[in-house]
Amino acid sequence: MTDIDQLQESLESPAWKDWADASGRSTASTAPPFLTTLSETSRARLKELLRDEHHPANTVIFREGMPGDVLYIIWSGRVAVVKDLEGETPTLLAYGEPGEILGEISLLESGPHSASVVAVEDTRLLRLSRADLQRLVSEQSPIGIEILGALGKIVSTRLRAADEARTSIVHAEGRLARRVQQLATEKEHLAELERLRQETTDLIVHDIRNPLNCIEASLELLQMVLPEDVLASCAKIIDLALGSCRDVLNLVDSLLEMARLESDELVLDLQPISLLPLITDTVNRLRLLAGQYNITLELDAPAELPSIQGDSHKLERVLSNLLDNALKYTPEGGLITVTVRPVNDQAVRPAHGGVEVRVTDTGPGIPPEYQERIFERFTR
């Protein structure tokens, strides 16, 4: 049985018999996961949109930071996924084999590639452009919806792979920790610990951010293509899912900011901002979650507030963290109140005044012996 026959058998469709061209190229021995879930009609439509590309060994297919406007299927050959390709010490993240997908996360989220891809061997790819995918989606046809659903399965696969990678990292960390204990001098011990921490952080950030961005992009695409009546019935759930994705992405950003703090590189983006919309959006986003725990979340704020100088992203994260903590420790049937008031303390801000935000709840509170430690790292 030939390679193309094996692919045909895995797809169970005659629509793919003519994919081998006259050059007798070798084909993918394993069908791309999302193709196996498509109907024959959808595969035939997708076949019309895919284009063939050839990349000799040691050529760059795309670089980190380039616009992610193409999805690739590896038809034959082998590629390497590399971080910091142009740096002094590039990092090899993974290899890509026939049947695997490249660039789908950047394509869905309309963002740049997070890593570079290099052909290790003579490689043939099938490419799908963002324009063609958007055209399918804009048609609101069953084919476009089915292809989006198939890409959603890839999101699930990526999440499972990220979970397995994190498990592997934990095991690797244990092995490296044992190696650290065997180092001869204190200087070597400290240097190895720092390297271990940095490598672990880099891998976690890379593995978590990409699938989360893909989930966020997929949810936003659902908002675009779902019929209005279906979207109306699912709007709160989709908003909650989007908010949760962004919360976890904020946590990933916190890891990066922690590293910047340690190296004195953190810079606040201070701009004149209106605090009330930021607070209202954050409270509304968490109100559905509070309702699931039978907790009332109220906002007590005036109709107008003075403009302040601040970093909107970090202020939103502070408020989200405070509310998340209140939701964890407020008992069922409890009340959380966000109170916002202008402050005209000329001794503190003689030119502009300020805004005071209080988060109060009916939970147990923080014991006095812990109140002086709450800003220490990793304090619970």
Side-chain angles (χ1 to χ4, degrees):
M1 179 179 290
T2 65
D3 289 339
I4 191 65
D5 288 335
Q6 292 175 355
L7 177 61
Q8 169 60 41
E9 184 175 89
S10 66
L11 288 176
E12 299 179 352
S13 169
W16 290 77
K17 285 183 178 178
D18 56 349
W19 269 97
D21 61 17
S23 66
R25 68 184 181 198
S26 60
T27 58
S29 60
T30 302
F34 83 98
L35 294 182
T36 62
T37 65
L38 297 179
S39 65
E40 183 175 342
T41 301
S42 294
R43 287 200 296 268
R45 176 70 175 115
L46 189 60
K47 173 188 169 184
E48 297 173 359
L49 301 176
L50 291 173
R51 298 293 180 265
D52 194 5
E53 283 190 8
H54 169 246
H55 294 270
N58 300 320
T59 58
V60 178
I61 297 171
F62 57 76
R63 296 181 183 275
E64 179 180 352
M66 288 178 58
D69 53 3
V70 176
L71 176 150
Y72 290 102
I73 303 171
I74 303 176
W75 188 251
S76 65
R78 193 171 188 235
V79 303
V81 182
V82 182
K83 192 74 174 172
D84 298 326
L85 180 64
E86 305 300 333
E88 294 182 3
T89 56
T91 301
L92 175 65
L93 299 177
Y95 286 106
E97 306 289 347
E100 296 183 13
I101 311 297
L102 301 171
E104 77 287 347
I105 294 175
S106 298
L107 181 73
L108 286 173
E109 68 178 11
S110 301
H113 291 294
S114 60
S116 301
V117 172
V118 181
V120 178
E121 305 170 358
D122 192 65
T123 301
R124 287 187 176 273
L125 305 172
L126 303 178
R127 69 193 300 272
L128 174 65
S129 70
R130 176 184 292 120
D132 287 335
L133 178 61
Q134 288 176 339
R135 185 159 53 250
L136 276 178
V137 173
S138 65
E139 293 171 359
Q140 297 191 0
S141 66
I143 294 175
I145 300 299
E146 185 180 5
I147 290 175
L148 281 178
L151 290 175
K153 292 183 181 295
I154 292 181
V155 173
S156 177
T157 300
R158 296 293 192 195
L159 286 173
R160 286 195 298 271
D163 185 63
E164 292 172 0
R166 287 192 294 273
T167 301
S168 176
I169 290 170
V170 170
H171 293 317
E173 184 177 346
R175 292 193 297 269
L176 289 172
R178 289 191 292 273
R179 179 184 172 190
V180 167
Q181 293 174 357
Q182 299 171 359
L183 294 176
T185 66
E186 184 66 19
K187 180 179 178 180
E188 290 173 332
H189 180 81
L190 293 175
E192 187 70 7
L193 282 175
E194 173 60 22
R195 187 186 67 81
L196 173 62
R197 183 194 67 80
Q198 188 60 51
E199 286 186 357
T200 302
T201 299
D202 291 345
L203 284 171
I204 289 174
V205 170
H206 181 270
D207 288 340
I208 292 179
R209 178 184 287 279
N210 285 344
L212 282 171
N213 281 334
C214 193
I215 292 174
E216 182 182 18
S218 299
L219 289 169
E220 290 174 347
L221 280 173
L222 281 177
Q223 289 179 320
M224 294 169 52
V225 303
L226 284 176
E228 291 187 4
D229 56 337
V230 176
L231 182 59
S233 64
C234 301
K236 289 185 178 180
I237 296 175
I238 293 178
D239 287 343
L240 178 60
L242 280 170
S244 298
C245 283
R246 289 160 186 162
D247 286 342
V248 180
L249 284 169
N250 284 337
L251 291 176
V252 174
D253 290 338
S254 294
L255 290 175
L256 298 174
E257 289 186 0
M258 190 179 299
R260 296 189 189 105
L261 275 172
E262 292 173 350
S263 58
D264 295 326
E265 295 179 0
L266 182 65
V267 177
L268 294 176
D269 182 20
L270 297 178
Q271 301 287 340
I273 60 173
S274 177
L275 201 56
L276 189 56
L278 182 151
I279 296 173
T280 302
D281 289 345
T282 305
V283 170
N284 289 339
R285 177 164 51 83
L286 293 173
R287 186 168 278 139
L288 179 61
L289 182 61
Q292 292 178 345
Y293 295 101
N294 195 25
I295 296 172
T296 301
L297 178 55
E298 293 184 350
L299 173 60
D300 178 12
E304 295 184 1
L305 286 171
S307 174
I308 66 167
Q309 287 284 329
D311 187 319
S312 59
H313 294 293
K314 293 179 177 60
L315 286 172
E316 181 182 6
R317 189 178 307 163
V318 169
L319 182 57
S320 294
N321 288 342
L322 290 173
L323 288 174
D324 179 69
N325 191 73
L327 286 169
K328 286 180 181 177
Y329 294 103
T330 299
E332 186 174 353
L335 171 66
I336 301 173
T337 304
V338 180
T339 305
V340 186
R341 293 289 183 267
V343 176
N344 295 313
D345 189 343
Q346 297 301 307
V348 178
R349 293 179 58 81
H352 306 286
V355 175
E356 179 184 78
V357 181
R358 290 175 177 259
V359 177
T360 57
D361 59 65
T362 55
I366 303 174
E369 61 269 23
Y370 288 102
Q371 291 179 7
E372 294 183 359
R373 298 177 49 200
I374 59 175
F375 292 108
E376 294 179 8
R377 194 176 183 183
F378 303 125
T379 296
R380 181 182 176 87

